């Protein structure tokens, strides 16, 4: 590749597919092209391969192979999980007694028209919930604390007799905060409510056990863990009454029709295998780099604050707000130095609005606008971290020198 060496620190947005993953996928585009549903042997081989991949992925979660459903990524898995529960467990009964409101007697899941989620979910969850509100469901978007952690008493108070689903992400994609998933799952199950978690950021980075954490539905995506884009999966606990998401053929146990994306499935499975094999060592290395990056910035750049919990966070996430700085301007300057990062606000239709996650933490708008997210991968190095810190110091200084607000602030002291 020509040009400046790239320092890639945006692994929460996407990751490069590992060469070993590409290598594992390649034969399935050419020689091994058979449709897993056909009868001849090249197809039978592919059917066996898909089963093998399903088993390998199930093992990483302590799940059964027939509880893994391949999807076209994390957004589809989130959509499916939430819409399917609403479809299967909807009832309009005006029931005020929880004990009376159990339709699925064997599994004791309630019916109704109320969903609980949080204000800091990914848009794949939030916009699905907004759609369901338009369809007549009630949604409670609970607040989180100043570090982005779900407060269990707030969650408990939000539960209604007709609550059918609690959806809380495993770890947040912007601030890296890891939620108390086990406690949330316990609370859901004590109340006979189905529990979904968007684990797209957490899966492959930290250990997950669907039984221990009382998870009924879990979304994951290939391209966030060095696998290919456009492939992911939804874990669906065996006892759930979940209907078809895509109608058609009998693939994915009749619940998601369409010829299997065999190369994608093979790539996803290989990426998962590698992510779990390297998890401990990679996590240790990333935590070391993460903490070095956080410590240096907080001690060397004035008026900077860390967003998200200091320790209950993903090994690779750094999110820092710099007062009197525009995050978008920082991104452009960093890009010119060959550094890829992400800001805490998004330019939508001409106006910049601060991220809903940072707003939910209680950050004032001007501080949220000065936020920078750096998400690391195991190919990053300490040298890169130190280089990035030097660049940030330089750019924050330059941007503040041009800021009238900063001039006012300094003048007033
Ligand atoms: C990236 C992401 C998604 C969407 O996954 P895609 O595979 O890109 O559709 C959903 N949730 C979270 C938390 C994510 O980070």
């Amino acid at each position: 590749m020509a040009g400046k060496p790239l320092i890639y620190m945006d692994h929460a947005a996407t990751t490069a597919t590992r060469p070993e993953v590409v290598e594992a996928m390649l034969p399935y585009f050419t020689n091994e092209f058979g449709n897993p549903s056909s009868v001849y042997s090249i197809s039978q081989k592919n059917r066996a391969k898909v089963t093998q991949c399903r088993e390998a992925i199930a093992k990483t979660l302590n799940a059964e192979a027939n509880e893994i459903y391949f999807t076209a990524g994390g957004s589809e898995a989130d959509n499916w999980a939430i819409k399917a529960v609403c479809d299967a467990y909807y009832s309009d009964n005006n029931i005020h007694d929880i004990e009376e409101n159990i339709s699925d007697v064997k599994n004791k899941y309630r019916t109704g028209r109320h969903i609980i989620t949080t204000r800091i979910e990914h848009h794949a969850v939030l916009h699905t919930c907004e759609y369901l509100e338009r369809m007549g469901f009630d949604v409670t978007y609970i607040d989180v604390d100043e570090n982005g952690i779900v407060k269990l008493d707030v969650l408990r108070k939000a539960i209604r007799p007709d609550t059918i689903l609690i959806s809380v992400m495993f770890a947040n994609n912007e601030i890296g905060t890891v939620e108390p998933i086990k406690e949330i799952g316990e609370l859901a199950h004590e109340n006979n409510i189905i529990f979904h978690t968007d684990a797209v950021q957490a899966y492959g980075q930290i250990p997950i056990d669907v039984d221990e954490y009382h998870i009924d539905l879990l979304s994951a995506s290939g391209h966030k863990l060095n696998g290919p884009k456009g492939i992911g999966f939804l874990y669906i606990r065996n006892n759930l009454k979940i209907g078809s998401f895509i109608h058609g053929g009998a693939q994915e146990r009749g619940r998601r029709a369409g010829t299997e994306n065999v190369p994608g499935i093979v790539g996803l499975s290989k990426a998962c295998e590698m992510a779990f094999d390297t998890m401990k060592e990679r996590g240790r290395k990333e935590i070391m780099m993460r903490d070095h990056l956080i410590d240096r910035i907080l001690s060397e750049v004035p008026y900077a604050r860390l967003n998200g919990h200091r320790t209950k966070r993903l090994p690779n996430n750094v999110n820092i707000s710099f007062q009197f700085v525009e995050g978008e301007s920082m991104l452009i300057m960093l890009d010119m130095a060959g550094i890829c990062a992400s800001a805490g606000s998004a330019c939508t239709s001409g106006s910049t609005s601060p991220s809903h996650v940072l707003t939910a933490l209680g950050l004032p708008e001007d501080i949220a606008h000065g936020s920078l997210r750096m998400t690391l991968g195991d190919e990053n190095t300490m040298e890169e971290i130190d280089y990035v810190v030097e660049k940030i110091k330089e750019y924050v200084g330059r941007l503040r020198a041009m800021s009238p607000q900063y001039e006012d602030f300094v003048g007033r002291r």
Side-chain angles (χ1 to χ4, degrees), residues 4 6 30 72 95 106 118-119 124 126 136 138 141 165 169 188 237 253 276 303 313 331 333 336-337 356 392:
K4 260 190 228 88
L6 192 71
T30 52
I95 290 172
K106 180 166 137 269
T118 78
R119 285 178 60 195
L126 288 178
D138 286 347
Y141 302 88
L165 177 68
M169 67 202 320
R237 188 173 283 284
R253 305 180 73 211
F276 279 81
Y303 315 115
R313 75 189 298 135
L331 283 193
M333 294 168 103
M336 289 193 296
H356 65 285
I392 287 175

Side-chain angles (χ1 to χ4, degrees), residues 50 53 57 70 231 252 260-270:
V50 168
C53 292
I57 291 171
F70 293 112
I231 183 83
E252 304 299 313
E260 294 86 345
N261 174 0
V262 181
I265 290 168
V266 170
L268 173 66
S269 167
K270 182 71 184 173

Side-chain angles (χ1 to χ4, degrees), residues 97-135:
D97 180 350
I98 293 173
E99 289 309 313
E100 277 176 32
N101 184 19
I102 288 171
S103 74
D104 189 347
V105 177
K106 180 166 137 269
N107 298 307
K108 295 195 177 157
Y109 290 123
R110 299 195 213 171
T111 63
R113 46 185 283 272
H114 181 236
I115 305 166
I116 302 172
T117 186
T118 78
R119 285 178 60 195
I120 62 166
E121 298 299 311
H122 190 272
H123 282 139
V125 167
L126 288 178
H127 291 168
T128 301
C129 288
E130 286 160 19
Y131 161 79
L132 288 160
E133 280 186 282
R134 294 194 293 277
M135 301 300 284

